[in-house]
Amino acid sequence: MRFFTAAIVTVSALTSCMAVAEEEWIDIAKSDEGLKWQVQSSSLEFTETEDGTAINLVNGKIINKKKNEVELYKWYVSKKDCKRKSGLVVSTDLDGKFQFENEFVIGDESIAAAMAEVVCTAAKYRKANE
């Protein structure tokens, strides 16, 4: 499994307001089985869940080249989990309906940790530059 650590490029693209960047997808991880996880640039949103939990949300997709399939999601990490560097990455469909969740600890070399690191770092960067 390979993880991409181009955090500066990813954070910059996620927080950019450039119209051109809005259609670009950034690789965050690949597996030896042919799966690729990507996040859409400029998709970072600060919002809340139905129960009022503050979250950092991005558009994401998983590409399965072997099966020629693409799955679209919204991925989020709570602001609390970002701060403590562990918790859950939650995946919903594009309408916000829960699909699944994965535990992470930043630096644990899992796909969920790579996803959380991108989301949390982008949120931290944007907040610092507002």
Side-chain angles (χ1 to χ4, degrees):
M1 199 158 309
R2 293 172 294 194
F3 301 98
F4 297 89
T5 56
I8 294 174
V9 172
T10 302
V11 167
S12 186
L14 275 174
T15 58
S16 172
C17 293
M18 295 173 27
V20 172
E22 288 186 35
E23 294 180 346
E24 295 177 7
W25 291 84
I26 302 160
D27 291 352
I28 56 173
K30 288 184 181 180
S31 74
D32 295 333
E33 295 80 30
L35 299 175
K36 181 167 42 173
W37 286 258
Q38 295 182 323
V39 64
Q40 187 179 31
S41 64
S42 300
S43 68
L44 178 65
E45 296 176 45
F46 299 127
T47 189
E48 294 181 350
T49 62
E50 289 180 1
D51 70 359
T53 302
I55 60 171
N56 305 307
L57 177 85
V58 296
N59 293 333
K61 68 180 174 180
I62 302 172
I63 300 168
N64 185 332
K65 290 206 178 231
K66 289 182 180 178
K67 294 183 178 180
N68 200 28
E69 296 175 345
V70 176
E71 299 174 0
L72 299 173
Y73 295 98
K74 290 205 178 265
W75 294 323
Y76 71 81
V77 178
S78 74
K79 291 183 181 184
K80 178 181 173 184
D81 287 354
C82 282
K83 187 173 183 176
R84 65 183 186 157
K85 299 183 179 181
S86 64
L88 297 173
V89 175
V90 179
S91 299
T92 72
D93 65 15
L94 297 180
D95 292 324
K97 182 179 176 189
F98 177 84
Q99 299 295 303
F100 55 90
E101 61 190 22
N102 300 97
E103 293 180 319
F104 76 90
V105 174
I106 295 294
D108 74 7
E109 298 186 15
S110 67
I111 298 292
M115 293 163 67
E117 187 167 10
V118 167
V119 172
C120 296
T121 303
K124 183 178 178 180
Y125 177 83
R126 181 183 283 169
K127 285 287 186 185
N129 290 290
E130 284 186 333

